[in-house]
Each structure stands twice: as C-alpha cells, then as structure tokens.
Amino acid sequence: MARKVGIYTRISRDDEGDAMGVARQQQDCERLADLRSWQAVKIYEDNDVSAFKRNVVREEFELMLKDLRAGLIDGIVAYDLDRLARQPRDLERLIEIFDERPKSEFATVTNDVNLGTPDGRTMARIMVAFANKSSHDASRRIKRKHLELAQQGKDSGGPAPYGWRKDDRTKVDPDAARAIREAQQEILAGVRIGTIRTRWWEQGLGNPRAGTKRMAHHHVEHILTNPRLVGYRTYHGEILTGASGEPVKGEWEPINTVAEWEAVCAAVTERKLQQRPGKLLARKYLLSGIARCGLCKTKIRGQINQRRKPGSKATKYTYQCSVVNGGCGKVARVGEPVDKLIAELVLEEQREKAAALGAPIQQQWPRESELEAVQADINQLIEAEKTKQITVSTLLQLLPTKEKERDELKLDRARFYKDQKQAEAQVRSGELSLAEFFDLPVERQQEIVLHSLSAVMIHPAGRGRRIFDPSLIDPVWR
C-alpha cells in the first residue's frame, strides 16, 4: 500500500495575491511524491505567511504537525527545508514527532535530508540555523533601508493604505478619502468607531482582508487617525522628526489638514479616557438614559415590547420605568411617537439658533506663535550641542522642560480644533430634515438631542388612555 503523505507549501510574501509561488511548489512536490510512489492525500498551504517571525501562527503548519502526530498522514513532502522551518524550535517540534513515529517519511525537492537518522537531523539543524541567520541579516538590512527611506520622506512600498490609489500610493483615492472624511465627521459628532466599522463592513469599505472578514476595531481607528493622512512619515508607529524638530513630510498627497487630523485624534483620545473599564455598550434607542420617569425621576431606557398580537410581526419598543433599575415601574410610553416629538422640537430649536448665529467663523488657534517660539528654542538647543557650544549634559537639563511645554501646547491646539469642528458639526445638524435625522447613527442622534436637552420627563398617562398626548412629554432644555 502506498504511503500517504502531506505536501507543505509556503511563501513569505505574495504581493500579487495570485498564489503562483505556492502553486509551483505544489507541482514540484507532487512530482517527487510520484517518484517515491507515495500518495499525496492533503495539501497544507501557508501562502503569504512568514516562518521567521515569532508572533506569526502558521495555521496549516500546525494542522500538519497535528495530523502527522495522529497518524493521519505517514510523512511530509516540502520544496525545501526552509519552507518548513526558519526557527530552530519549529524544527525540533518536527523532530519530536519523527522520534515518536520513526517510520514516517520526509523528503524535500531541493535536497535529501533524512529526519529519521542522527546525521540527517544534525544536517537539518545546521541548515535551519543558517536559514535563521539569513533571515536575521535580511531583516536587519530591510529595517535599515526602511529607516533611511522614512527619514527621506519616501514610501517603503507594500499594499497601498486605505485612502490612496492601489496603482499609485502617492495619489489619493477620491472615494476612499471621502469615506474617511465622512467617518471623521461622525467621530467628531459622537458616533462610535464600532458603528462606523459595521457600516464600512456592510459597504465593503476600508480594505477588509480577504473581502469577508470584518476589520478589527483598532484597524478602523488607525485608518481615521493615521499620521499619513496629513503627510507625516512614521517609522514603527512613531512620527519621525527631522533635524529641525519638525515632522518629516512624506512624498504623497495628504487627505486632511493638520487641524482636522488633530481634532479627530483628540476626540478619539478623549473618548477613551471617558470610557469605563470594559466595552462601551451601544445605545439602541434615542432617549435611553436621557428620558426620566415623571414620578420617581429615575432614568428610563428603551426596551422591546414583548406583548404582541398573535400573528403580528411588528416589534414596538417602549420607554419603561423599571423596578429592576431602581424605578417605580409605573410609567411607560410607546417609544416611536416620543422620539418623533423630541426630534421635531430639537431640530426646530437648532434651526432657530443656526439662523440667529449664522455660519461659524473659522478661527486660528491663538497660541500658534507661542508654539513656534518653543519649537525654535528646542531647535536652537539641539544645534548648539551639535556645534559644541553647550555640552550634552547641559542639553539634557534644558531640553525636557521645553519638550514638555511644546507637547502641552500641541495638546491644547488639538483640543481647540476638536471643539471648533464639533461646533461646526452641531450647526450643520440644524439643516437636517426629520427623515435625515433618523437615518443617522443613534449615537449621533443622541449627541444632537443632548446639545439642546439635558433630560426628557415622561409623565404617567393614566388608566385606559391610548391616544398619544404630547403634553405628558416634558423636555428639559439646557
């Protein structure tokens, strides 16, 4: 009976995404299996996966080891030993299995290493050690090259980040840039990143991997706060600064101004600081946590009305004072007409305010010259040390104070532009129709309501009353 073997193929980078490299390896391995009269029963393919990086899990490699240990396959065929292992610990795991199952087969296309013999294992260990060193050397050269490119403001290649064209990553993709700006406006208006993430996934935005997996929360956050948006060059996640102390500018078109980008970054950071430990729960209903019971003054939350008529598919929600949440349980109101009434009142009030105030005046941060002066002092100190006018010790005594002052000023600038952009978004809310208001994410709706109201008091309707009475809904204006 022919021995059943698994074929393992791997390539570290597949920039084209066509899997041609692993396909060629598979063909050569299948020919070798035929020559040995082995039956290839399964292909284990790790395409675009590194065997050198320690934090990378090769799912097919792990499955292959598991199948080999369980006896589901009798051996392995690979194109080369370095396709299987570039870390000695991975080779030792494989050797352990060959210790447990000494009759297992092993073959590679490029050389003949027998993992069943002491000499073969010694040779394999030497080969993997050299492959590991080669990867270390290549990694060191690549890192040095990328740092040099970063210092010159040049791009380092790879897939284009979302927001730039795939065929020319220095040019902005208009559709993607528009999606980013719209999402940033939503962030400033109070919309959660989780809501944006869900919408992007439904619309196929944001370069989701493989087109099917939803992007992680931090990926969406990075897209919306990426320093690349304003042209800043980063290295290992940090903004690079030049000899003048100013951020290094990259050779690509920006999407945001510095004021816009800093406002979004400040809004994201501020929200993180305000969140309680754990995940922030998304609101489902407009007045959840805003409405209060007219009798006991406890906060009211929306909930689905479980009492439906037989055969009815309609799902209604109510604002119910709950005993569970410390309330009296004596007040409840169908939610939809309450939401509609409050939305109409708030939009009308904000339209009147917008008409009275007119368009918001764009203001420049008043302390810009102060920041420039501090940065000039820092540059002067660094230049004085370079020209030996002061010692390194003196520089390190004077520099931290100036750097702290600069960072505090930058934070103040970010807050200033964040408040300005949020005010602009609030003025624009007065232009919304009722239908447009309810098309917004519920967090944005709540932000608009809370700009005008501090609470909504819902009073009891009395027994038997079924007609909605607006006089029993009492908005508390700010």
Side-chain angles (χ1 to χ4, degrees), residues 189-204:
V191 177
R192 296 165 56 251
I193 286 179
T195 302
I196 296 169
R197 171 184 171 227
T198 300
R199 177 168 58 79
W200 274 15
W201 178 66
E202 292 170 349
Q203 297 175 352

Side-chain angles (χ1 to χ4, degrees), residues 389 452 472:
Q389 297 177 44
S452 296
L472 297 175

Side-chain angles (χ1 to χ4, degrees), residues 6-10 44 46 58 61 64 77-79 83-84:
I7 290 177
Y8 181 77
T9 62
R10 182 190 68 80
Y44 301 90
D46 280 321
R58 291 185 284 159
F61 177 76
M64 180 190 68
V77 179
Y79 184 78
R83 299 300 89 198
L84 275 168

Side-chain angles (χ1 to χ4, degrees), residues 290-307:
I290 299 174
R292 287 182 178 269
C293 173
L295 293 178
C296 66
K297 308 303 184 286
T298 302
K299 282 186 178 181
I300 293 178
R301 299 187 183 279
Q303 61 184 34
I304 294 294
N305 186 359
Q306 302 295 339
R307 297 179 182 178

Side-chain angles (χ1 to χ4, degrees), residues 32 84 163 194 211 283 294:
L32 179 58
L84 275 168
R283 302 282 193 187

Side-chain angles (χ1 to χ4, degrees), residues 143-156 232-236 238-244 246-252:
K143 286 179 180 177
R144 183 66 188 88
K145 175 187 174 184
H146 284 178
L147 176 59
E148 183 179 1
L149 290 173
Q151 290 170 335
Q152 295 171 359
K154 295 180 179 178
D155 228 334
S156 54
Y232 289 166
R233 187 61 167 91
T234 59
Y235 183 71
H236 287 183
E238 298 291 332
I239 298 174
L240 278 177
T241 54
S244 64
E246 292 296 317
V248 174
K249 285 298 192 85
E251 298 177 343
W252 56 80

